Amino acid sequence: MAEAAPQLSAARPARPAIGEGLLRRPFVPLVGGVLSLILAGIGELIVQSGSGSPLSLVLYLAAILLFTVSAWPMPPAESDMPSEEVVVALPRSRSTWGWAVLGLGTALAVGLDVAALLMIRQDVRAPLAPWLWLAAMVLIAAVGVALHRWQEWPARWGRGVWPSSVNGRRLAVAALALVMLAAVLARVLWLDKVPLGINADEGDRAAVSIQIIKGANNQSIFEAGWYWISMVYFWLLAQVMNIFGVSFVGARMFGALAGIVAVGMVVWIGVRNFGLRVGLLAGAILSVLAVALQFSRETTEAGPTGMLWAVSAAFFFEASRRGRMWAWAGAGIAGGLSIYFYPTGRLWAIMALAYCVYLLVHGLGGRRWAIFRGAAFAAVAAVVVMAPFLLQAVEHWEIFTLRAQETSIFTRDNPTRLNYYNPEWNVAQLLAAQTVRSVGVFNQFSDGGGFFPISTGATGGSITTGLLAVLTLLGLGWCCLRWRDPRFVLLAGWFWVGFSGVIVTVETPNVQRMAAAVPVVALFSALVLDNLARRIELAASRREGARFSPRTASIAAWALVGVVALYMMGVEAHRYFVVYGSAERWPHPTILGQAVNEQGTDTRVFTIGRQFHMVNSGWVRLLAPWTPRGGIQAPGNHLPLAEPADHNIAFLVFPAQEAYLPYLADLYPGGAARRYVHPTEQLMFTVYRLPREDWAALQGATAEDPSGEQYRVAGLGVPPEGWSAYPSAMRWTAGLTVPQYWNYAVRIGPGPARLAIDGVEVLSVPEGTPVMSTTLSLARGKHAVSYEGTLAAQGRPALFEIAQIPEEIPDQPPRPLVWASPGTGMLVAGWDQPHGLYGLVRREGRAEQRTLDPTLATCCLSAQVRADGRAYTATWTGSLDAPATGVYSMTLLSQGAISLKLDGSTVFESDEPSDQPRGFMVELTEGPHPVEIVYTVKEGPGGIEWVWTPPGGTTSIVPPSVLSPPDGAGVGPPLSPGELGPWERQPVDMPVEIVR
């Protein structure tokens, strides 16, 4: 220690005039306090009546001023008194040793951090970097602990915060235990029921952590996950879910644990710095405070942010109370960690800097050099913790700016999103309106962001109500006026900096953005109650001829504020667990996830078309983590699925997609449809489910013997089960999925054998020839294969193999062909003729793409054709086989310019993209009609859906069974490399998007 710590007397200088006046008029503070409550209560009644009168604000301000003024005559509480202990100056040798530990330890910690940063910059996933970063934090903390007594001073406050008697201490411990028990139970009980339902954001947050658990996400903790939130949060959430289960209870448990710690920190702050009564009252209120419970019982990074701010504040209190280095280090580490969680946590640096500057100005009795030393150490600790995040932010600035750009009232035209905004306001007027609106969240306005949807009383869903609102606002104002006391300055700074995110953003007031300030709210009301209790004690025990002893007065005061606290606890618990808990929230995502989970792990669940992403939404992953599922962007191209039928199969169809149900029934006959209906949401979706056996029966090939009898077999050339007639002729038919437009080689044998694709004979093998091959080009899509072959002997199926011709690479020898028989999943049984339309896609500067599309139904043609931001034109030709003569109702959804011709006449044309289907009527005679569709997309996803309603029929996606391409359109001679273009420019089908 560089200088001797000055000794403090046991008490602050007395104020005789005020004290003597108090002895003569002991009721003055109590009367002032009661009048303050009355004024604030009247103001609150005006608010509760729904009146927008400014009188309520005037009454509240008058109440705050009166409460502050009437508190001045009161002598300091025992908890306000400094310690009587004397800190002896350390010997110079010990002081030198302290400087050495501080310098060397800090330098080593910084060195470890720099080494981690260098690794991260070279490879953000360097496995050693997180360990070096963690070691740097541990070392900083160890330095602070090692210098425990190197820099300290007698406690500036907190004398007598603990009862002196054994029984008193026992009662205090029991009361504190009950408070913490209430906090624990209120945060861990019924996590699967309150809040009832999964907010979509909960699932999106948990989804990344589930990916980590399943090994499907190998991002570094220093990278960003969903919505640019740091992977530190998702990694920690994954560890908690590993313990408590991959479920929404497990996901919510992280916030619950953070909330419990936050309550413990607030209790510690209260007891340590303001007295036992403040700690108990604040902890009791915070244990069931509705807004605090919401942060603890939803899956959100905002809850841990509030916890870290509470931990940092507790260390700052200790640092300014005793000056110990471990407290400064703890404040920096906890505050620095908050940058990895909710975006408003990044404001911690402003709060910390402002408070440290205040301490330097205040001096704490001539200790500015020691304060500077501690603040600098805290800053180093914070920088060590934040450095990896800041490094990533430099390289990906959107990590820091994205949320601000989207929500700040100072960017873009964001203020116009406020329904009370006046374009004629200047910045000062806008800030004033925002402040009034934001502070009004305590008693007047409901959450504008949807995070805290509790609606009670005339004022809707404010975060406090009634008496608690009065005490909270009174305490907030009182703390803001006590600028000479570091404790109250820290409370006020903690609140206003943590709350500023609400003021400067839209959706005002957005409760989630005040996450960092939530724990301090309970201290405001607790301080007011404690001060009122002291006024009662003074009034009852200091007047002449008092009938009450100080002990009796103290018991009475404790009992009164205890009853008030219990009443407010009951109100808050009722608001959250009864009023809010009985309301069903977010039924659609919840029931969707539950429905997917109901399908079981033996069923693959799919969403299709423009809703393809829904089955992989975060809430589904959270509620159905083990159900296999995927999204199909182009059901018109990719159904029937070219995948093994190793599960049951289920499709989720949403109300706007009702036309898909007949389409699915046509492709997958025999399935069962179940409609999910909710009283308020009406029809939410329909599940069309097909057993695995029925799905498998639709795959493979159809074998026909010479007598005309047909059998379902696993593949082309495979004999029927139990077949014993050898040698014999057999004919196989199937739809073959070709995933890429390219050149292919096909071989068959033994002869006699004949192969036709899409009605075009491509290969004939004479009798006696074992095998022959040919080369041809095939369009991407499903082709009708007819194979007439010979089963020569048992155990020897007729040969049918296909190989993709490798791309020619200059200056390299040709690569060998990889022959393979198409798997059962690649084949559609019963396709004895081509179905669908022939597609031709042209893009400027790129080779043509050719496709055979069963029908037109896709959300994302631009992705399918690899548009890469270029304009393109797709042309489909073929014929439409009208099942009956009459008027057909049709709709086209086209996110591009489109024209539809039937029989050579244009029946629909539009140059404007649209996200909504557009209808028209067409009169057709029974039989085939030439069709041509020209579709031009300049930008966007390129969604297209063709729906019809035949005369007397049902509305459906136009099914493949009524569409046929031009004869032989998907088959041709081999093409040159110039005609095909580079291999990577010809898209390869990926039918299912699976997010694990």
Side-chain angles (χ1 to χ4, degrees), residues 275-292:
L276 177 62
R277 187 159 54 204
V278 173
L280 286 172
L281 290 171
I285 294 169
L286 188 61
S287 68
V288 291
L289 184 66
V291 66

Side-chain angles (χ1 to χ4, degrees), residues 402-751:
L402 178 65
R403 289 300 289 156
Q405 291 174 354
E406 292 180 343
T407 62
S408 171
I409 60 172
F410 304 117
T411 59
R412 302 177 181 175
D413 59 348
N414 286 346
T416 60
R417 293 159 56 184
L418 301 167
N419 57 14
Y420 52 87
Y421 175 66
N422 186 339
E424 297 180 0
W425 283 347
N426 58 33
V427 174
Q429 290 172 312
L430 176 59
L431 281 173
Q434 284 290 98
T435 302
V436 170
R437 190 87 177 182
S438 298
V439 175
V441 77
F442 283 98
N443 66 341
Q444 189 172 359
F445 300 113
S446 59
D447 177 24
F451 175 77
F452 187 70
I454 299 180
S455 298
T456 54
T459 58
S462 57
I463 65 172
T464 57
T465 186
L467 179 59
L468 181 58
V470 169
L471 294 175
T472 300
L473 292 173
L474 200 58
L476 171 60
W478 184 40
C479 286
C480 292
L481 294 177
R482 299 193 65 177
W483 55 270
R484 296 182 64 182
D485 191 323
R487 297 172 300 169
F488 292 89
V489 170
L490 179 53
L491 292 179
W494 176 4
F495 172 79
W496 284 113
V497 177
F499 191 73
S500 62
V502 182
I503 298 173
V504 299
T505 58
V506 293
E507 299 156 0
T508 312
N510 189 307
V511 170
Q512 195 166 17
R513 292 173 194 153
M514 66 174 290
V518 167
V520 74
V521 169
L523 282 164
F524 293 141
S525 52
L527 285 167
V528 172
L529 283 176
D530 174 69
N531 189 266
L532 288 171
R534 287 189 54 237
R535 297 180 191 219
I536 294 172
E537 291 168 347
L538 290 170
S541 62
R542 291 204 173 185
R543 68 184 183 88
E544 295 182 6
R547 298 179 181 179
F548 305 104
S549 67
R551 176 180 174 81
T552 303
S554 177
I555 292 173
W558 270 90
L560 180 60
V561 296
V563 169
V564 172
L566 288 173
Y567 164 75
M568 293 189 298
M569 289 175 68
V571 170
E572 289 298 293
H574 181 268
R575 286 183 77 207
Y576 194 82
F577 290 105
V578 178
V579 177
Y580 177 60
S582 62
E584 186 176 10
R585 304 291 175 183
W586 310 290
H588 197 285
T590 304
I591 295 174
L592 177 62
Q594 291 171 344
V596 174
N597 190 56
E598 287 172 5
Q599 305 310 311
T601 57
D602 61 347
T603 302
R604 297 190 68 188
V605 184
F606 298 100
T607 42
I608 55 179
R610 292 197 293 167
Q611 301 294 330
F612 79 95
H613 60 283
M614 291 295 289
V615 80
N616 286 323
S617 297
W619 57 88
V620 176
R621 295 188 228 172
L622 182 56
L623 290 167
W626 309 114
T627 302
R629 61 196 182 278
I632 303 173
Q633 296 184 358
N637 302 76
H638 299 143
L639 293 180
L641 277 175
E643 301 207 358
D646 51 3
H647 288 72
N648 305 319
I649 189 171
F651 297 92
L652 286 162
V653 179
F654 295 89
Q657 299 181 300
E658 289 286 289
Y660 277 98
L661 285 171
Y663 170 67
L664 291 170
D666 185 63
L667 295 179
Y668 294 102
R674 177 184 174 185
R675 294 163 62 89
Y676 285 76
V677 180
H678 187 269
T680 61
E681 303 293 308
Q682 305 306 319
L683 175 63
M684 294 184 294
F685 52 87
T686 302
V687 175
Y688 185 80
R689 180 185 171 98
L690 189 74
R692 182 184 64 83
E693 296 78 11
D694 292 349
W695 182 18
L698 300 172
Q699 294 186 334
T702 300
E704 183 178 326
D705 65 19
S707 68
E709 188 170 354
Q710 295 183 342
Y711 312 84
R712 186 262 174 190
V713 295
L716 294 165
V718 176
E721 186 176 356
W723 188 258
S724 58
Y726 295 98
S728 62
M730 192 72 67
R731 178 175 178 264
W732 294 270
T733 57
L736 170 65
T737 300
V738 174
Q740 184 180 30
Y741 171 48
W742 202 254
N743 290 331
Y744 293 85
V746 181
R747 64 185 183 185
I748 59 174

Side-chain angles (χ1 to χ4, degrees), residues 721-860:
E721 186 176 356
W723 188 258
S724 58
Y726 295 98
S728 62
M730 192 72 67
R731 178 175 178 264
W732 294 270
T733 57
L736 170 65
T737 300
V738 174
Q740 184 180 30
Y741 171 48
W742 202 254
N743 290 331
Y744 293 85
V746 181
R747 64 185 183 185
I748 59 174
R754 176 182 172 273
L755 176 65
I757 299 179
D758 298 332
V760 178
E761 183 175 318
V762 297
L763 184 59
S764 179
V765 182
E767 185 175 357
T769 302
V771 62
M772 287 183 64
S773 65
T774 188
T775 304
L776 68 164
S777 63
L778 294 175
R780 174 163 55 101
K782 298 187 187 301
H783 296 260
V785 176
S786 175
Y787 175 31
E788 297 174 9
T790 302
L791 293 171
Q794 190 168 3
R796 289 176 55 190
L799 178 68
F800 180 91
E801 291 183 334
I802 187 169
Q804 187 171 17
I805 305 296
E807 182 181 19
E808 295 182 12
I809 301 177
D811 302 324
Q812 291 190 16
R815 287 173 289 173
L817 297 180
V818 179
W819 294 98
S821 296
T824 304
M826 299 292 290
L827 302 172
V828 183
W831 276 48
D832 55 358
Q833 60 183 357
H835 295 290
L837 298 175
Y838 173 63
L840 184 64
V841 180
R842 293 185 174 93
R843 300 168 298 167
E844 184 180 353
R846 299 283 180 89
E848 289 182 348
Q849 298 176 28
R850 301 180 187 181
T851 63
L852 278 179
D853 300 325
T855 189
L856 301 185
T858 177
C859 71
C860 319

Side-chain angles (χ1 to χ4, degrees), residues 1-5 90 95 98-99 102-103 106 147 149-153 319 323-325 328-329 356 360 366-381:
M1 189 166 151
E3 72 279 342
L90 294 174
S95 178
W99 277 108
L102 178 64
T106 303
L147 298 177
R149 301 192 62 83
W150 180 64
Q151 174 180 292
E152 65 173 345
W153 50 73
R324 290 168 173 166
M325 294 298 280
W328 293 106
C356 289
L360 286 170
R367 295 187 172 88
R368 288 186 175 85
W369 174 236
I371 294 169
F372 177 80
R373 217 164 32 217
F377 190 53
V380 171

